[in-house]
Amino acid sequence: MASYDVIIIGAGPGGYVSAIRCAQLGLKTAVVEGRDTLGGTCLNVGCIPSKALLNATHHLHEAEHNFAKMGLKGKSPSVDWDQMKSYKDDVVGQNTGGIEFLFKKNKIDWIKGWATIPAVGKVKVGDEVHEAKNIVIATGSVPTSLPGVEVNNDGGVVVDSTGALELPKVPKKLAVIGAGVIGLELGSVYARLGSEVTVVEYMDFITPGMDADVQRTFKKLLEKQGLNFILGAAVQGVDASKTKAKLTYKLKKDDSEHTLDADVVLVATGRKPFTDGLGLAELGVEFTPRGQVKTDAHWATNVKGIYAIGDAIVGPMLAHKAEDEGMAVAEVLAGKHGHVNYGVIPGVIYTSPEVATVGQTEAQLKEEGRKVKIGKFSFMGNARAKAVFQGDGFVKLIADAETDRLLGAAIIGPAAGDMIHEICVAMEYGGSAQDIALTCHAHPTYSEAVREAALACGDGPIHA
Ligand code: NAI
């Protein structure tokens, strides 16, 4: 039996980052992880493998659609799907191996197996019980499904995001349930690979919760890339054989029932916290009605010595939100003052163009009765974006009408996921649109569009 200052359960972005910070702060730290590799959903079957496939298929799309325009003539590359999957696996392997290296470097013990908490201060893995002054639950989340829809990632035709990364072949027809982040990222991958992709979404718009301008533009651009959308449709069930599936949905507007044939159905209707088997309820740990572990402002549960972070608790299910909480809870455990500013957590969709948002939306602010001004700038006015055929999309900044303080932003365009951070930093400092407008931006960069949007909050942009 080993004794630790902290045992963290789960080695996803929340858990592994927390462990590294705990070790840096001088705490004797162990992480329990039952997967064969570190990194959790994000590195193994989420963010990282999907980005590899998005990268590969983006190049294919460029070759097929834009190379000839630039004088790059010749046959477009053909797709070797098995090779593409092995490239993806290599990328995953490099990243998960990197975490293992960081664990060794920081003297963090990896306890291999699945943990239970038999009592406060004790973590059981297999037959061994380890002692810990504090335990951090970082067990993440798992995909949800729908009644009448049975997911089978082991060779079945109805899959979730994990199965969609490992399809034996590129499907002719792919039906996606849910026009959220996963549905649109993986839908894009397969559309670029030649699948006929139809996305069935319950709401009357895509990416619920996002800025309405972005929703409209994003849908149009995805349609241009060949994705089909059936909106306002409640999926009733999926009938699956070994090789085909029939999806039944009802249109909300007239209650009419329809079917959709597909070779593969991807279920992307959200995720739920995963805390099964830990024994938390038996210890008296409180949960929200949505199954999230309840925590206070310092990630402490109601049971002394048990903390929780990431997808397992309230808040957006994002790797970087979990990472921030992981670092902050480590500081708390080391007697410092960990803090996360939940008002400035960016969200990114890694399609082409990328979509990135931060802060509040125009609709949310108006509903709160806030007086706001909008600065919008189209990438059509950005020389660099036009040079790479990415003139569609825009930067939208939302600032307080009186103080000019930045309250939110949405970008749909090239490298949006990187550009959003200049706005995040400004917001962290309580910055104004004018602060960005007065900052020199290199030319020619996509980032100039952010400055132009900031200028649009004042006397006006230059290139519009
Ligand atoms: P999501 O919450 O983003 O989207 C789910 C979609 O399914 C919603 O549009 C919802 O209205 C729709 N839906 C729900 N029930 C339905 C039904 N019965 N019929 C039709 N549509 C239905 O969830 P998603 O895409 O599964 O992602 C899960 C989590 O993982 C999210 O929290 C997401 O933020 C995170 N994630 C983040 C990524 C990123 O940051 N780039 C990438 C992938 C996932």
Side-chain angles (χ1 to χ4, degrees), residues 218-255:
F218 193 25
K219 178 167 171 277
K220 262 193 234 151
L221 294 177
L222 290 172
E223 280 169 338
K224 241 166 82 179
Q225 294 169 24
L227 277 85
N228 307 298
F229 289 97
I230 301 172
L231 302 181
V235 171
Q236 305 297 301
V238 176
D239 252 344
S241 72
K242 273 196 178 142
T243 53
K244 295 255 171 245
K246 193 183 275 298
L247 184 151
T248 308
Y249 62 91
K250 262 189 186 173
L251 285 180
K252 288 191 291 172
K253 62 177 183 208
D254 56 11
D255 222 26

Side-chain angles (χ1 to χ4, degrees), residues 28 33 75 84 139 164 197 249 257 284 330 389 392 403 450 454:
K28 187 162 189 271
E33 173 56 60
K75 251 176 61 186
M84 198 179 286
T139 45
V197 178
Y249 62 91
E257 198 165 281
F389 313 105
D392 297 315
T403 66
V450 176

Side-chain angles (χ1 to χ4, degrees), residues 146 178 180-182 185 200-202 208 268-271 317-318 348 350:
L146 299 170
V181 189
I182 291 178
E185 286 186 354
V200 184
E201 164 60 47
Y202 183 78
T269 50
R271 300 178 63 87
M317 288 185 167
L318 295 170
V348 180
Y350 298 87

Side-chain angles (χ1 to χ4, degrees), residues 46-47 50-51 141 143-144 146-147 161 176-185 200-203 205-208 233-236 267-271 311 315-320 346-350:
C47 324
S50 60
K51 258 79 277 174
S141 60
T144 55
L146 299 170
S161 53
V176 178
I177 310 178
V181 189
I182 291 178
L184 299 183
E185 286 186 354
V200 184
E201 164 60 47
Y202 183 78
M203 305 300 283
F205 37 80
I206 68 169
T207 57
V235 171
Q236 305 297 301
V267 185
T269 50
R271 300 178 63 87
D311 285 10
M317 288 185 167
L318 295 170
H320 43 283
V348 180
I349 310 180
Y350 298 87

Side-chain angles (χ1 to χ4, degrees), residues 343-344 358-359 405-409 422-431:
V344 185
V358 67
R405 185 180 176 144
L406 285 165
L407 301 173
E422 134 170 48
I423 303 161
C424 295
V425 172
M427 286 174 70
E428 280 289 352
Y429 280 87

Side-chain angles (χ1 to χ4, degrees), residues 373-382 394-397 433-434 436-438 446-464:
K373 57 182 170 179
I374 307 294
K376 207 169 157 187
F377 186 77
S378 162
F379 278 102
M380 276 301 173
N382 179 274
F394 55 81
V395 178
K396 176 173 175 177
L397 293 183
Q434 195 184 35
I436 290 184
L438 289 175
Y446 306 132
S447 296
E448 287 174 286
V450 176
R451 185 195 205 176
E452 293 271 23
L455 285 165
C457 288
D459 295 331
I462 303 299
H463 297 90

Side-chain angles (χ1 to χ4, degrees), residues 9 117 135-139 275 278 280 293 301 306-310 312:
I9 304 178
I117 309 174
I135 298 168
V136 178
I137 310 295
T139 45
T275 55
L278 290 173
L280 294 181
V293 180
T301 69
I306 300 184
Y307 293 76
I309 57 168

